[in-house]
Amino acid sequence: MSVIQSVHATIRGLRDQVAALHAELPRNALVVWTAGNVSARVPGADLLVIKPSGISYDDIRPENMVITDLDANLVDGDLSPSSDTSAHAYVYKHMPHVGGVVHTHSTYATAWAARGEPIPCVLTMIADEFGGEIPVGPFALIGDDSIGRGIVATLRTHRSPAVLMRNHGVFTIGSNARAAVKAAVMCEDVARTVHIARQLGAPLPMRQSDIDALYDRYQNVYGQA
Amino acid sequence: MSVIQSVHATIRGLRDQVAALHAELPRNALVVWTAGNVSARVPGADLLVIKPSGISYDDIRPENMVITDLDANLVDGDLSPSSDTSAHAYVYKHMPHVGGVVHTHSTYATAWAARGEPIPCVLTMIADEFGGEIPVGPFALIGDDSIGRGIVATLRTHRSPAVLMRNHGVFTIGSNARAAVKAAVMCEDVARTVHIARQLGAPLPMRQSDIDALYDRYQNVYGQA
Amino acid sequence: MSVIQSVHATIRGLRDQVAALHAELPRNALVVWTAGNVSARVPGADLLVIKPSGISYDDIRPENMVITDLDANLVDGDLSPSSDTSAHAYVYKHMPHVGGVVHTHSTYATAWAARGEPIPCVLTMIADEFGGEIPVGPFALIGDDSIGRGIVATLRTHRSPAVLMRNHGVFTIGSNARAAVKAAVMCEDVARTVHIARQLGAPLPMRQSDIDALYDRYQNVYGQA
Amino acid sequence: MSVIQSVHATIRGLRDQVAALHAELPRNALVVWTAGNVSARVPGADLLVIKPSGISYDDIRPENMVITDLDANLVDGDLSPSSDTSAHAYVYKHMPHVGGVVHTHSTYATAWAARGEPIPCVLTMIADEFGGEIPVGPFALIGDDSIGRGIVATLRTHRSPAVLMRNHGVFTIGSNARAAVKAAVMCEDVARTVHIARQLGAPLPMRQSDIDALYDRYQNVYGQA
């Protein structure tokens, strides 16, 4: 199989994966209507696979996913790419270890983002997945690479695969698209739990050494080998 | 095809659309029991298609949707029209660009309405869809055109397609019924997110120029051409 | 058909109805696990149809509904009746116009009940269905007619078909079992909306004359003739 | 049938039960993604049946449940056991009457755990199922028997089948796995209701004698004989 045939086969597989992973967003109540999107990097090519702009979750199919380059130019597909494609593309261009990106306006995480307040690491589940607080990124307008730059600048200085973009919503990253979706699901879950804890008082702090131990273990021992 | 045949064909299509769009209300948790309703204007005729009064969402079918004129008089259908028909009719009569109207008592939006407090524009999603705050309309009793007048007077002075009627619930408008349903879904979503943000402090304000830029882009660039 | 045959036919129909209506409780998120119950009076006989004690909502069938007399003694059925049967029976015995009773521990309504605080009439939907505040009944232990007496004493002095039993949960009544289920669904919906409104300030009051007008219209005009 | 054949048959039945009971966790919104687990003791053997580590709820089947001894060593199964297996095993080893254990990070219960605050007994439903407050256990790191010791030490001094582990989540026990799942469902339900009650004021206290009477009755009279 030639290199080109191999990339084509990879893209076919990623269309299936990305389309299927979009179903996790409404299923986990992270999005309403057409908001939110999932993308995957095409390994071995400067390309990504993403949802088209403004289409219903009911209508998502592998064949209507669109392919763009890492400057967000349409390469393959009949529909316009998500209006968040520039942000996804910027992340892939500047964070080579990232294989998947997710964007949502999930309720509780976005509420923290509206106040510009990071989610403190006060649960073992936050230590496990995020390795510390979930940080806040800057306010940035859509339309150029401002959002992408804000995401990358924030995530580079944190263990967290999630960033709360001020007055906007959440972006998460992962080694693949499934891992980024997992981070989006867990981000909303802990955003909700810590919010609810805070409503009636102050959550108890955790020691940094405990956070480090939990993060190390979860990243290296949890799941199947 | 005569004008009359054409109107009949249009009404058949709108019965299907309006019946199908009603399913989005419980699906998006905007209504309980028989509350809430969706209508569509019949283009080229002073008519509207709406849900009958007090019927279960399980029982909604194209054939039991009812047709009224723009004074809310029954024109076609075996059942009494929604008790909110006068409000819908008043909107169509006085806002010629409106093709769809939705009414709900969705929880968070109605909570803002109970306090008579507009939802401030502190999220990019609010700027996108509503172009500024979501305003409050007056308290009005059902039974004459008071509710319709309150809706129209409030929406005429705002970009927002949604109005929070005091101590009552939400009315949304759109160029068609689907757009009005979208506005109802997004209104509840942002009502919830801003409520939750406010519970633990003050959301950060957004600049008017940023709100304007986001609104302009979303209305003109988002989605498929 | 003899009187006895007629009662048997009525009971068969009510077994179907009561079993089917139980599905509305989890569907509307009013109950968890085996909590909650619906009953119907058997017209023309001092009997009621109710759910057995402690059975899963997945296992509810017309044939395992149980029949008791109005002292809660088992008359027909293989299973023990709901442990709340005495309360239902007391209501039927002392409120002849009641044809259906529902009991839940639905979250928001029970939260008001835990504080012993009535839900104020600050929404048109509360005026429509409840005609005023939703009142609080006394604390009462299960095991004799204390709960039933508390329900009846409270509902006799209010328009509301729902009562919040202190530190316990909700009982609703209706002219039939479906109407009682509707009251339970709407009680939780307005309990939630008013709770959320109150979290960020005081809901605006409504005038008594407006409440009276809304109640009168909803009871007499809403729905199909 | 030999003793060994009998244990094999028991394990087959428990694989079915434990796999099926896992479906109750997402159904009751107690877990997200792969979090949470249910186990059952194998009667007549120092063994337990539990979910593998990090697998999706969609992929849970009787045949991929794993069997470990009461030191959490894998005895049968192709996958690594849940990373919480040590905690489950410790409970079975030190509480011989326990036949099932459940672990979740359910939102409201975990919020109380984040503050290290027990859930007070202010609802008849809490008296029924938990016999008093739902207590808080110590903070403990995963990886040795610290969590198990914290659970056992806390539950031994309370009637409650649920313990809120500080900054972590919930563990529940029961005479079998189904009873432990029921306790997990009810724990989250009352954690939510009392949280919501507390948001707008203080729940009314209940008398100890009433709590005792309710607990006694529910444990001995409720349900089918």
Side-chain angles (χ1 to χ4, degrees):
Chain A
M1 194 156 62
S2 72
V3 172
I4 286 175
Q5 286 176 315
S6 159
V7 168
H8 279 188
T10 300
I11 287 174
R12 272 197 300 277
L14 289 172
R15 282 178 177 278
D16 289 347
Q17 280 176 42
V18 171
L21 284 167
H22 272 97
E24 296 291 341
L25 271 40
R27 184 189 190 190
N28 287 280
L30 304 185
V31 293
V32 297
W33 214 246
T34 63
N37 35 72
V38 178
S39 72
R41 182 198 291 274
V42 181
D46 288 337
L47 299 173
L48 64 90
V49 182
I50 197 166
K51 166 170 162 276
S53 184
I55 78 157
S56 165
Y57 280 85
D58 294 341
D59 296 331
I60 288 178
R61 306 277 181 275
E63 58 272 21
N64 58 23
M65 296 297 98
V66 295
I67 318 297
T68 76
D69 64 24
L70 298 192
D71 294 312
N73 300 306
L74 185 65
V75 169
D76 187 37
D78 299 325
L79 298 170
S80 306
S82 162
S83 59
D84 298 301
T85 303
S86 297
H88 291 246
Y90 190 95
V91 172
Y92 292 121
K93 209 165 184 175
H94 294 86
M95 301 184 95
H97 63 289
V98 171
V101 177
V102 171
H103 173 49
T104 79
H105 303 150
S106 68
T107 302
Y108 284 86
T110 301
W112 290 90
R115 290 191 311 270
E117 192 177 348
I119 302 171
C121 186
V122 293
L123 294 174
T124 56
M125 190 170 164
I126 305 179
D128 286 347
E129 175 73 12
F130 301 95
E133 71 171 22
I134 301 178
V136 174
F139 181 79
L141 282 184
I142 201 166
D144 58 18
D145 62 9
S146 302
I147 295 176
R149 279 187 287 120
I151 297 167
V152 170
T154 309
L155 291 182
R156 273 196 178 140
T157 56
H158 291 83
R159 285 171 174 162
S160 169
V163 52
L164 311 173
M165 294 299 282
R166 231 196 76 184
N167 296 98
H168 181 180
V170 186
F171 281 86
T172 61
I173 57 173
S175 58
N176 54 46
R178 184 169 186 81
V181 171
K182 180 191 184 187
V185 170
M186 293 181 79
C187 179
E188 178 63 6
D189 193 59
V190 300
R192 180 171 46 230
T193 303
V194 179
H195 176 91
I196 290 168
R198 274 269 304 273
Q199 289 186 309
L200 298 183
L204 298 167
M206 287 173 65
R207 292 191 305 180
Q208 188 61 45
S209 57
D210 289 338
I211 294 171
D212 293 345
L214 287 164
Y215 181 67
D216 179 66
R217 184 186 156 84
Y218 191 76
Q219 300 299 320
N220 296 303
V221 177
Y222 185 82
Q224 303 300 324
Chain B
M1 194 157 61
S2 72
V3 172
I4 285 177
Q5 285 176 316
S6 160
V7 168
H8 279 188
T10 301
I11 288 175
R12 272 197 301 276
L14 289 172
R15 283 177 175 279
D16 290 347
Q17 281 175 41
V18 171
L21 284 167
H22 273 96
E24 296 291 340
L25 271 39
R27 184 189 189 188
N28 287 281
L30 305 184
V31 293
V32 297
W33 214 246
T34 63
N37 35 72
V38 178
S39 72
R41 182 199 291 274
V42 182
D46 288 338
L47 299 173
L48 64 89
V49 181
I50 197 165
K51 166 170 161 278
S53 183
I55 79 156
S56 165
Y57 280 85
D58 295 341
D59 295 331
I60 288 179
R61 306 277 181 274
E63 59 271 22
N64 57 25
M65 296 296 99
V66 295
I67 318 298
T68 75
D69 64 24
L70 298 192
D71 294 313
N73 299 306
L74 186 65
V75 169
D76 187 36
D78 299 326
L79 299 170
S80 307
S82 162
S83 58
D84 298 301
T85 303
S86 297
H88 292 246
Y90 190 95
V91 172
Y92 291 122
K93 209 165 183 175
H94 294 85
M95 301 184 95
H97 63 290
V98 171
V101 176
V102 171
H103 173 48
T104 79
H105 303 150
S106 67
T107 301
Y108 284 86
T110 302
W112 291 90
R115 290 192 310 271
E117 194 177 347
I119 303 172
C121 186
V122 293
L123 295 173
T124 57
M125 188 169 165
I126 304 179
D128 287 347
E129 175 72 13
F130 301 95
E133 72 171 21
I134 301 179
V136 174
F139 182 80
L141 280 185
I142 200 166
D144 59 19
D145 63 8
S146 304
I147 295 177
R149 280 187 285 120
I151 297 168
V152 170
T154 309
L155 292 182
R156 274 197 178 138
T157 55
H158 291 83
R159 286 170 174 164
S160 169
V163 52
L164 311 174
M165 294 300 282
R166 230 196 77 183
N167 297 97
H168 181 181
V170 185
F171 282 85
T172 61
I173 57 174
S175 59
N176 54 46
R178 184 168 186 82
V181 171
K182 180 191 184 187
V185 170
M186 293 182 78
C187 179
E188 179 64 5
D189 194 57
V190 300
R192 179 171 45 231
T193 303
V194 180
H195 176 92
I196 289 168
R198 274 268 307 272
Q199 289 186 309
L200 297 183
L204 298 167
M206 287 173 66
R207 293 192 305 182
Q208 186 61 45
S209 58
D210 289 338
I211 294 171
D212 293 345
L214 286 163
Y215 182 67
D216 179 65
R217 184 187 156 84
Y218 191 76
Q219 299 301 319
N220 296 302
V221 177
Y222 185 82
Q224 303 299 322
Chain C
M1 193 157 61
S2 72
V3 173
I4 286 177
Q5 285 175 317
S6 159
V7 168
H8 279 189
T10 301
I11 287 176
R12 271 197 302 276
L14 289 172
R15 282 177 176 277
D16 290 347
Q17 280 177 42
V18 170
L21 284 167
H22 273 96
E24 296 291 341
L25 271 39
R27 184 189 189 189
N28 287 281
L30 304 185
V31 294
V32 296
W33 213 246
T34 63
N37 35 72
V38 178
S39 71
R41 182 199 292 273
V42 181
D46 288 338
L47 299 174
L48 64 89
V49 181
I50 196 165
K51 168 171 160 275
S53 183
I55 79 157
S56 166
Y57 280 85
D58 295 340
D59 296 331
I60 288 179
R61 306 276 181 277
E63 59 270 23
N64 57 25
M65 296 297 98
V66 294
I67 317 298
T68 76
D69 64 24
L70 298 191
D71 295 312
N73 299 307
L74 186 65
V75 169
D76 187 36
D78 298 326
L79 299 169
S80 306
S82 163
S83 58
D84 298 301
T85 304
S86 297
H88 292 245
Y90 191 94
V91 172
Y92 292 121
K93 209 164 184 174
H94 294 84
M95 301 184 94
H97 63 289
V98 171
V101 176
V102 171
H103 173 48
T104 79
H105 303 150
S106 67
T107 302
Y108 284 85
T110 302
W112 291 90
R115 291 192 310 272
E117 194 177 348
I119 302 172
C121 186
V122 293
L123 295 172
T124 56
M125 189 169 165
I126 305 179
D128 286 347
E129 174 73 12
F130 301 95
E133 72 171 21
I134 301 179
V136 174
F139 181 79
L141 281 184
I142 199 166
D144 59 19
D145 62 9
S146 304
I147 295 177
R149 280 188 286 120
I151 297 167
V152 170
T154 309
L155 291 181
R156 274 197 178 140
T157 55
H158 291 81
R159 285 171 175 163
S160 169
V163 52
L164 311 173
M165 294 300 282
R166 230 197 76 183
N167 297 98
H168 181 183
V170 185
F171 281 85
T172 61
I173 58 173
S175 59
N176 55 45
R178 185 169 185 82
V181 171
K182 179 191 185 187
V185 170
M186 293 181 79
C187 179
E188 179 63 5
D189 193 58
V190 300
R192 180 171 44 233
T193 303
V194 179
H195 176 92
I196 288 168
R198 273 270 306 273
Q199 288 186 308
L200 297 183
L204 298 167
M206 288 173 66
R207 290 192 305 181
Q208 188 61 45
S209 57
D210 290 338
I211 294 171
D212 292 346
L214 287 163
Y215 181 67
D216 179 64
R217 184 186 157 86
Y218 191 76
Q219 299 300 319
N220 296 303
V221 177
Y222 185 81
Q224 302 300 324
Chain D
M1 193 156 64
S2 73
V3 172
I4 286 176
Q5 285 175 314
S6 159
V7 168
H8 279 188
T10 300
I11 288 175
R12 272 197 301 275
L14 288 173
R15 282 177 176 279
D16 290 347
Q17 280 176 42
V18 170
L21 284 167
H22 273 95
E24 296 291 341
L25 272 40
R27 184 189 189 189
N28 287 279
L30 304 185
V31 294
V32 296
W33 214 247
T34 64
N37 35 72
V38 178
S39 72
R41 183 199 290 274
V42 181
D46 288 338
L47 299 173
L48 65 88
V49 181
I50 196 166
K51 169 170 161 275
S53 184
I55 78 157
S56 165
Y57 280 85
D58 295 341
D59 297 332
I60 288 178
R61 306 277 181 277
E63 59 270 22
N64 58 23
M65 296 297 99
V66 296
I67 318 297
T68 76
D69 65 24
L70 297 191
D71 294 312
N73 299 306
L74 186 65
V75 169
D76 188 36
D78 298 327
L79 299 168
S80 306
S82 162
S83 60
D84 298 302
T85 304
S86 297
H88 292 245
Y90 190 94
V91 172
Y92 292 121
K93 210 165 181 173
H94 294 85
M95 300 184 96
H97 63 289
V98 171
V101 176
V102 171
H103 173 48
T104 79
H105 304 150
S106 67
T107 302
Y108 284 85
T110 302
W112 290 90
R115 290 191 312 271
E117 193 177 350
I119 302 171
C121 186
V122 293
L123 295 173
T124 56
M125 189 169 164
I126 304 179
D128 286 347
E129 174 72 12
F130 301 95
E133 71 171 22
I134 301 179
V136 174
F139 181 80
L141 282 183
I142 200 166
D144 59 18
D145 62 9
S146 302
I147 295 176
R149 279 187 288 119
I151 297 167
V152 170
T154 310
L155 291 182
R156 274 196 178 140
T157 55
H158 292 82
R159 285 170 174 164
S160 169
V163 52
L164 311 173
M165 294 300 283
R166 231 198 75 183
N167 297 97
H168 181 180
V170 185
F171 282 86
T172 60
I173 57 173
S175 58
N176 55 45
R178 185 169 186 82
V181 171
K182 180 192 184 187
V185 170
M186 294 182 78
C187 179
E188 179 64 5
D189 192 59
V190 299
R192 179 171 45 232
T193 303
V194 179
H195 176 91
I196 289 167
R198 274 270 305 273
Q199 288 186 307
L200 297 183
L204 298 167
M206 287 173 64
R207 291 191 305 182
Q208 187 61 45
S209 57
D210 289 338
I211 294 171
D212 293 344
L214 287 163
Y215 182 67
D216 180 65
R217 184 184 155 86
Y218 191 77
Q219 299 301 319
N220 296 303
V221 177
Y222 185 81
Q224 303 300 324

